[in-house]
Amino acid sequence: MNSLRKLFEIFLISFKLGCTSFGGPTAHLGFFQIEYVQKRKWLSDKEYSSLVALSQFLPGPASSQVGMGIGLLRGGLLGSLASFLGFTLPSVLLLTLFAYFYSHIKMDMGWIHGLKLVAVAIVAQAIWDMSKKLIPSIAHLIIAVLALITLQFWGNPFAQVIVIALAALIGARLFKQTNGLEDTTQKNLPISKKTGGLLLALFVTLMIALPIANSLLKDDLLTIMEKCYLAGALVFGGGHVVLPLLETQFVQSGLMSASDFIAGYGLTQAVPGPLFTFASYIGMVIAGVPGAVVATIAIFLPAFLLIVGAMPFWLTMSRHVALKGAMAGANAAVVGILASAFIHPIVTQTIQSGLDILLAAVFLLLSLRWAVPPYILVLLGIIVGLLCY
């Protein structure tokens, strides 16, 4: 009974955070720190910092992974799942409903164009913010620029993955750290290294098995599962960076239009919770409710397998100083990848006139200069779109 009560508590608290956590992964981590560390004292500042550090060195949605890790520490594997469900459910429901509304009801498209202009401003700000943190030197800048140029001229579906891998190898050689990664301890971790190893093995197995199964069976839901799983498994840098991978997987492959893609991405900025729930919208547009469910599970499953599987090994991993250099190189490439996605499809599919340039610049100024929240920008974008288009 106490276990059920604990799981319900984890779900309710994460659900509240899922309803109120606007502003992207960095803001989410601030909300988590206040709720879980300061208010409820479920873990110490040092334990929380260690968990955040681990999430930064794994692909996937950082804030969701931190939430899963806190749920694991509090209530075991079921606690991790309860935390994921609570934090993710609000934005999944909102985006799924929007996808249905957008696909089935005839609407004035002006407000959709307003959403696209907001998406231009949001992604531009993300590039700016990330570059300040991830491009500290000329060497990092060169990696980012090379990644940008490569992706502009190489449209292979796995180009982003190859670019990140090469950048990580370069970073491991160029950016050797002398201080290493912060040591960490896990007290009473409710998972063994054996279980962690099995989860990590499952992560790798699914990466290999899903593309093979999809090529053999040619099923729509399996296609969604494969593409979303690979996107969730291979993206570094959080929700904004999953955009180019999803665009490659679903738009360039012809499964959905660029217009539908950008409209959904624009609205994703207005909802609380993780940006990876954009996959729920994609799945709903392509295959209805089953597609939304499959896409949501598939894009978050790698994050769950990685964070839970890696936690028992984190202390050992933290002693390998080359890992930090590799991640520095990968993160620099991430900025270039995001810049490439900003140019195409976001700018090329959205900016069609001088008025578009002006409005996108105004939205960007509101965000950068006066820190207007994303959901306010989205509301303004809808209003401007209705009035001007």
Side-chain angles (χ1 to χ4, degrees), residues 312-327:
F313 301 97
W314 179 227
L315 180 59
T316 301
M317 290 168 59
S318 68
R319 298 193 180 107
H320 291 277
V321 297
L323 179 61
K324 196 168 186 177
M327 290 309 303

Side-chain angles (χ1 to χ4, degrees), residues 103-149:
S103 301
H104 292 81
I105 300 176
K106 291 186 179 295
M107 301 174 292
D108 182 351
M109 290 294 103
W111 71 280
I112 297 296
H113 192 70
L115 282 179
K116 294 179 182 179
L117 293 174
V118 171
V120 171
I122 293 288
V123 178
Q125 182 186 9
I127 295 170
W128 174 252
D129 290 342
M130 292 176 66
S131 65
K132 290 190 295 184
K133 299 174 183 177
L134 303 180
I135 310 293
S137 71
I138 296 297
H140 291 80
L141 179 61
I142 292 173
I143 291 175
V145 171
L146 289 176
L148 166 63
I149 295 173

Side-chain angles (χ1 to χ4, degrees), residues 24-26 28-29 51-68 84 87-88 130 134 161 164 203 207 228-243 245-246 274-277 296-308 310 327 330-331 334:
T26 302
H28 299 166
L29 295 176
L51 188 56
V52 172
L54 174 57
S55 73
Q56 301 298 325
F57 285 93
L58 295 174
S63 58
S64 294
Q65 287 174 314
V66 170
M68 293 172 188
F84 157 70
F87 186 59
T88 308
M130 292 176 66
L134 303 180
V161 180
I164 288 176
F203 165 79
M207 284 189 66
C228 286
Y229 184 88
L230 291 178
L234 298 172
V235 63
F236 288 88
H240 290 293
V241 185
V242 81
L243 168 67
L245 284 177
L246 290 176
L275 294 174
F276 269 53
T277 52
T296 303
I297 293 173
I299 202 166
F300 282 101
L301 182 57
F304 173 79
L305 296 175
L306 284 171
I307 191 70
V308 177
M327 290 309 303
N331 286 334
V334 159

Side-chain angles (χ1 to χ4, degrees), residues 137-186:
S137 71
I138 296 297
H140 291 80
L141 179 61
I142 292 173
I143 291 175
V145 171
L146 289 176
L148 166 63
I149 295 173
T150 300
L151 294 178
Q152 285 296 300
F153 294 98
W154 188 25
N156 187 283
F158 293 98
Q160 294 95 339
V161 180
I162 295 171
V163 165
I164 288 176
L166 290 175
L169 291 175
I170 294 171
R173 298 295 299 272
L174 290 183
F175 310 128
K176 293 182 179 180
Q177 305 293 318
T178 58
N179 58 341
L181 304 178
E182 181 181 356
D183 284 342
T184 177
T185 58
Q186 284 116 8

